[in-house]
Amino acid sequence: MKVQSAMFYFPEEVIEHIFSFLTHHHDRNTVSTVCKAWYKIERLSRREVFVGNCYAIRPDRAAARFPGLWSLSLKGKPHFADFDLVPPDWGGLAGPWIEALARSCPNLEELRMKRMVVSDENLELLGHAFPKFKALVLVSCEGFSTDGLAAVARSCKSLRELDLQENEIEDRGPRWLNSFPDMCTSLVSLNFACLKGEVNLKSLERLVCRSPNLKCLRLNRAVPVETLAKIINQCPNLEDLGTGSLLADQFSEAYVSLVCALQKCKKLRSLSGFWDVSPLCLLAVYPVCANLTGLNLSYAPTVQGQDFINLIQHCVKLQRLWVLDSVGDKGLTVVASACKELQELRVFPSDLFAAGPATVTEEGLVAISTGCPKLNSLLYFCQSMTNSALITVSKNCPNFTRFRLAILEPRKPDPATNEPFDEGFGAVVKNCKNLRRFSISGLLTDQVFYYIGKYAKALEMLSIAFAGDTDQGMTYVLNGCKNLRKLEIRDCPFGDGALLADVTKYETMRSLWMSSCDISLRGCKALATKMPSLNVEIINEWEAEMEENLNNGVAEVISNNNNKHFNNGNDDRKVEKLYVYRTVGGPRSDAPDFVWTL
Amino acid sequence: MEGKSSYGGNMEYLKATELKLAPPGSDTQEATSGVSTRPKKRAITGPNEQHTKSKVQVVGWPPVRPQRMNSFRARRNETVDESGGMYVKVSMDGAPYLRNIDLKILHGYKELRTILEGMFKCSSLGGAEGYDEEGHAITYEDKDGDLMLVGDVPWEMFVSSCQRLRIMKGSEARGLS
């Protein structure tokens, strides 16, 4: 009996059971395209959906397709919004999604959102619409206040996870913690490290007391050592801890109880926070260092020199380390000798207006690559780098999947040779066959893009700034990188020729961002005409020009989505910001005045 | 006339052979003062980039999230605050160099003692009275220039009047009690 035809005789339940072994959303998307029967079975049994661009599909349609949804992940604004390149009120609204889910997906348990605008009303709705709601994860979101958090705390009877990472949250007082009902004992993970204001310490202690399953707790800067010590005493089984302010006097009771409490934490694997940490409080941490797999010191500029070295020498099982460049090349050398299991390293700049002596350079990176061959993920801000160092690093660590290097001064050449960094970054793509994410900097010509196009076959996301010479650079990338999903470019001399070099490519990608490049309105219009399945959005800051035109009676009075005033015949104007993405949802209905969909 | 011009000519010739702290051929003020190259940090980096005295701030570069940038700004503001009694010098008798300590970030005398111990790596710098068996005493110079024992006045009063700290040894210290 042929296997092919046998499949048609399987009852639906069996096919559904087979599908349950497909966990990755790519695979489930693929089987849903085989035939109508499979589409139906798949959509009704789908539990998790990931939408990488919230405008790629209309919320109603997504929610209606998957009524059995338990978990939804959404991403809103383009990545460069993190660096103030996207004007406020651009979009990425969570409201329409939560409302659509409320109508169609009553079983929702988890919602994860990144770079979206969430309001307090949205969070209220979340609390009321989903009786089984368990986990809310918000990363780099904004638009809500502690009142919204109170609503979630109050209404979600079996809340397990409230994870707030790097959000902009309006502080309306510490009362929100009181909103967790007394009968709420289900918390497993609570992270409010990004909250700027005070918290009610007694409420926090009581909440922790009645949460026996708490595994992850990340406090904000307002929580003092006294409270931290009490909390840790209550939950010695914590696996992930973010301290509050770690400022304490050696002779104080708080310090002594912190030391005792930490010694009991046998399961602690990840530490972060360390705000205002005094060298003595670092000593308190030593007993847990030997088992740590994750350590985040990137908010602790005082941890440097010998203090850092003494601490890091104990962290022999460390896999993930985030630090500031104030630890210096010397500190990184010690990391290289102590942390043999290191997989991910992030070195952030401590002085952004760097006029002082260089703190990390190529030396530190080479040391790390020599000592930590398991390294696969890097984010490195430095003042100085060389091609020869990059070549060495790429040979020492061929397993890189994420490689992001930010040389602080734009267009800076290799100081040893005065050459561009084409060969250095070229070596990375040649030697690291699994590279999925790449960010490059320093002086770069079209040559580096030739290398990327030729060798970076697994590349999914590429970030380029102040690089390249001609359209050929961008064209190499579009033609060569078969798996490219996101391309973001700023301040490069790529024009309409590059933009239009391979228009069908954009249908295979999630999105393209270009700002301060050399593209014109004509080029963007051409793209929009050729590719109706894409939204070609221009972000206009031509207000001054618009004003002038209105005054001269040249343009028509505008309504919200009518951009006729921009259409005054001058297509040669340069486009400052362009965002192109594939979508089945058509032009978005919530675009603000300054966004023009061609 | 001839003489005059030749005199002038001679002067120029003489000037060229004059001994100077500068490469031959350069006779500007800048060269003679010895500052003939700009510090590396301000080097011109690209063909089109203008040299500016301060770093040009580009929007969104370096690519760091606002939350991180703001936390650094806040910290920088704290340390440059010039209100009275911030960074004070600390000397210890016998130590080769002095230290600086920021009184504003401390919360009390115990913390001060702790930090000082850490800085000067000696055993206990004393109990409540300000000195210990070994005779170390922490003293400070107040606004009137008087040498005072640390610990007598409320912390805030101390912070606002302290000009510098001095860790004294032995017999000198006992004279204060």
Side-chain angles (χ1 to χ4, degrees):
Chain A
M1 179 161 80
K2 288 189 218 166
V3 174
Q4 272 169 297
S5 44
M7 284 300 284
F8 292 114
Y9 298 110
F10 281 7
E12 280 186 16
E13 295 79 29
V14 175
I15 299 184
E16 188 181 315
H17 183 67
I18 296 173
F19 287 176
S20 69
F21 292 100
L22 299 171
T23 47
H24 200 271
H25 59 91
H26 282 149
D27 296 329
R28 295 211 54 135
N29 291 346
T30 306
V31 300
S32 70
T33 60
V34 167
C35 63
K36 274 191 183 158
W38 282 26
Y39 178 88
K40 183 181 158 213
I41 297 168
E42 198 281 319
R43 70 173 261 262
L44 293 174
S45 61
R46 179 86 83 118
R47 300 287 168 248
E48 291 174 23
V49 168
F50 169 77
V51 179
N53 174 3
C54 66
Y55 290 116
I57 182 169
R58 301 235 171 214
D60 278 340
R61 196 171 149 187
R65 180 175 164 184
F66 302 111
L69 205 55
W70 286 353
S71 167
L72 176 65
S73 302
L74 275 174
K75 291 189 181 180
K77 299 187 206 177
H79 174 233
F80 276 175
D82 283 353
F83 316 126
D84 287 337
L85 289 181
V86 176
D89 303 324
W90 174 86
L93 300 172
W97 281 91
I98 297 178
E99 285 153 24
L101 290 165
R103 283 190 288 273
S104 309
C105 308
N107 292 328
L108 193 72
E109 294 183 17
E110 276 182 17
L111 184 59
R112 293 162 201 276
M113 297 196 283
K114 187 168 186 179
R115 278 186 220 106
M116 296 197 66
V117 177
V118 188
S119 70
D120 287 344
E121 288 75 29
N122 298 153
L123 293 175
E124 282 270 2
L125 180 57
L126 195 68
H128 290 124
F130 308 108
K132 291 189 192 169
F133 198 75
K134 293 195 171 60
L136 180 64
V137 179
L138 299 176
V139 180
S140 301
C141 296
E142 55 172 356
F144 59 105
S145 75
T146 46
D147 286 351
L149 298 179
V152 172
R154 190 169 43 235
S155 321
C156 302
K157 305 277 179 291
S158 47
L159 194 67
R160 265 197 335 231
E161 188 179 343
L162 180 59
D163 186 358
L164 307 168
Q165 297 176 34
E166 293 178 312
N167 302 292
E168 277 298 314
I169 305 176
E170 189 195 330
D171 179 42
R172 293 215 190 132
R175 291 170 300 108
W176 68 277
L177 261 179
N178 303 355
S179 300
F180 282 98
D182 289 338
M183 66 186 104
C184 170
T185 57
S186 48
L187 267 184
V188 173
S189 172
L190 177 63
N191 173 6
F192 58 91
C194 63
L195 271 184
K196 295 192 263 262
E198 298 294 318
V199 287
N200 188 321
L201 299 175
K202 285 273 173 275
S203 293
L204 177 61
E205 288 171 37
R206 280 199 302 269
L207 179 62
V208 169
C209 272
R210 64 177 187 276
S211 304
N213 300 317
L214 203 59
K215 289 211 173 75
C216 166
L217 180 63
R218 296 191 182 186
L219 310 171
N220 75 346
R221 199 171 179 177
V223 179
V225 174
E226 293 83 1
T227 310
L228 176 65
K230 286 185 198 164
I231 285 175
I232 301 178
N233 262 320
Q234 282 298 319
C235 22
N237 289 331
L238 270 180
E239 294 173 13
D240 183 326
L241 174 67
T243 72
S245 171
L246 266 190
L247 192 58
D249 181 350
Q250 187 178 28
F251 300 108
S252 68
E253 214 178 294
Y255 178 76
V256 173
S257 36
L258 178 68
V259 170
C260 294
L262 277 173
Q263 278 170 349
K264 290 191 221 153
C265 290
K266 303 293 178 205
K267 293 197 179 170
L268 202 54
R269 296 288 171 268
S270 174
L271 267 185
S272 56
F274 292 97
W275 283 291
D276 313 313
V277 60
S278 51
L280 291 156
C281 286
L282 275 184
L283 291 178
V285 164
Y286 283 16
V288 300
C289 284
N291 285 324
L292 281 183
T293 55
L295 181 61
N296 182 353
L297 293 169
S298 63
Y299 284 99
T302 53
V303 182
Q304 47 178 292
Q306 199 59 40
D307 290 331
F308 174 71
I309 289 172
N310 292 343
L311 177 72
I312 208 70
Q313 276 174 340
H314 291 88
C315 303
V316 292
K317 290 194 189 159
L318 208 60
Q319 294 173 16
R320 191 176 36 86
L321 176 64
W322 293 20
V323 286
L324 291 169
D325 63 1
S326 44
V327 304
D329 286 332
K330 193 167 174 210
L332 291 179
T333 308
V334 177
V335 172
S337 67
C339 310
K340 294 300 179 192
E341 301 298 314
L342 197 68
Q343 294 179 27
E344 177 183 326
L345 176 67
R346 296 196 192 189
V347 181
F348 293 95
S350 56
D351 184 356
L352 290 172
F353 310 107
T359 40
V360 298
T361 67
E362 65 275 4
E363 269 180 48
L365 187 58
V366 169
I368 292 275
S369 72
T370 312
C372 311
K374 293 189 184 178
L375 195 67
N376 59 47
S377 174
L378 181 73
L379 172 62
Y380 200 76
F381 286 85
C382 59
Q383 287 189 36
S384 168
M385 183 52 57
T386 63
N387 278 307
S388 125
L390 282 174
I391 293 169
T392 305
V393 167
S394 69
K395 289 186 180 152
N396 288 341
C397 299
N399 296 320
F400 274 118
T401 52
R402 292 181 211 81
F403 191 96
R404 293 190 279 167
L405 186 77
I407 300 168
L408 289 172
E409 205 171 321
R411 297 199 192 93
K412 189 176 175 184
D414 178 343
T417 60
N418 226 35
E419 308 238 297
F421 283 99
D422 302 333
E423 295 307 311
F425 287 108
V428 175
V429 289
K430 273 182 222 170
N431 294 325
C432 306
K433 309 255 185 286
N434 299 323
L435 197 65
R436 291 199 316 260
R437 184 168 179 185
F438 204 29
S439 296
I440 58 182
S441 56
L443 184 65
L444 293 162
T445 72
D446 286 347
Q447 184 65 21
V448 72
F449 300 113
Y450 169 76
Y451 289 138
I452 293 174
K454 184 165 179 189
Y455 295 109
K457 292 306 176 190
L459 193 66
E460 295 177 3
M461 181 171 177
L462 180 63
S463 308
I464 311 170
F466 306 103
D469 302 317
T470 71
D471 286 350
Q472 188 58 59
M474 184 171 160
T475 309
Y476 283 139
V477 172
L478 292 173
N479 289 342
C481 298
K482 296 295 169 217
N483 283 306
L484 196 64
R485 290 196 288 121
K486 286 183 281 185
L487 181 58
E488 45 185 26
I489 305 172
R490 61 163 295 179
D491 293 275
C492 297
F494 303 140
D496 295 341
L499 181 66
L500 300 170
D502 185 358
V503 294
T504 54
K505 174 77 177 169
Y506 304 126
E507 251 178 355
T508 68
M509 290 166 53
R510 184 186 299 170
S511 64
L512 166 73
W513 169 277
M514 290 180 78
S515 59
S516 306
C517 297
D518 210 25
I519 48 181
S520 74
L521 188 51
R522 187 186 311 281
C524 297
K525 281 184 176 178
L527 178 60
T529 312
K530 289 185 190 181
M531 302 295 300
S533 59
L534 304 175
N535 275 359
V536 178
E537 290 184 6
I538 288 173
I539 293 174
N540 289 311
E541 278 136 343
W542 295 329
E543 270 104 51
E545 199 184 330
M546 175 181 88
E547 271 298 305
E548 199 195 338
N549 285 337
L550 279 176
N551 291 337
N552 296 342
V554 170
E556 297 169 32
V557 174
I558 50 153
S559 64
N560 221 8
N561 286 317
N562 184 346
N563 285 291
K564 285 210 191 107
H565 63 282
F566 293 121
N567 229 345
N568 60 359
N570 182 5
D571 280 1
D572 289 323
R573 263 178 307 180
K574 293 298 174 201
V575 166
E576 181 57 26
K577 292 174 184 171
L578 172 72
Y579 186 51
V580 179
Y581 55 91
R582 67 178 175 194
T583 179
V584 295
R588 52 184 181 112
S589 51
D590 62 0
D593 279 347
F594 55 81
V595 172
W596 180 17
T597 307
L598 292 171
Chain B
M1 270 153 308
E2 197 91 35
K4 219 175 187 178
S5 63
S6 70
Y7 178 72
N10 278 344
M11 272 309 288
E12 280 180 15
Y13 176 75
L14 278 173
K15 212 172 180 185
T17 57
E18 186 186 316
L19 285 174
K20 273 191 256 180
L21 282 174
S26 63
D27 55 356
T28 61
Q29 264 323 98
E30 200 184 22
T32 50
S33 71
V35 180
S36 52
T37 53
R38 295 197 171 96
K40 208 171 178 182
K41 63 189 177 189
R42 291 177 188 164
I44 295 169
T45 55
N48 298 320
E49 269 189 290
Q50 288 295 324
H51 169 72
T52 51
K53 219 173 183 183
S54 63
K55 262 199 158 10
V56 176
Q57 301 308 327
V58 181
V59 173
W61 190 268
V64 178
R65 285 170 195 256
Q67 288 82 7
R68 282 192 192 279
M69 286 182 17
N70 292 339
S71 73
F72 298 134
R73 278 201 201 106
R75 218 168 275 122
R76 195 176 300 112
N77 289 339
E78 280 164 31
T79 56
V80 303
D81 191 330
E82 296 299 339
S83 63
M86 289 288 295
Y87 273 99
V88 296
K89 289 187 190 172
V90 187
S91 63
M92 173 156 162
D93 293 353
Y97 50 80
L98 282 64
R99 298 296 301 268
N100 255 315
I101 188 171
D102 180 1
L103 293 180
K104 204 175 180 202
I105 62 162
L106 302 178
H107 297 111
Y109 288 116
K110 279 190 190 152
E111 205 177 327
L112 174 65
R113 212 162 273 122
T114 306
I115 301 291
L116 289 178
E117 260 177 54
M119 278 182 171
F120 290 96
K121 298 272 188 293
C122 46
S123 54
S124 172
L125 277 177
E129 296 78 30
Y131 61 93
D132 67 1
E133 318 85 59
E134 287 186 26
H136 288 114
I138 309 179
T139 65
Y140 70 102
E141 190 181 299
D142 72 0
K143 282 189 173 148
D144 300 325
D146 297 324
L147 192 64
M148 315 287 293
L149 188 68
V150 161
D152 289 333
V153 300
W155 174 255
E156 276 69 31
M157 194 188 287
F158 162 72
V159 170
S160 63
S161 63
C162 174
Q163 299 300 299
R164 60 184 289 161
L165 286 157
R166 182 178 160 198
I167 303 173
M168 299 173 82
K169 275 205 255 207
S171 48
E172 279 181 81
R174 269 181 273 282
L176 280 171
S177 62

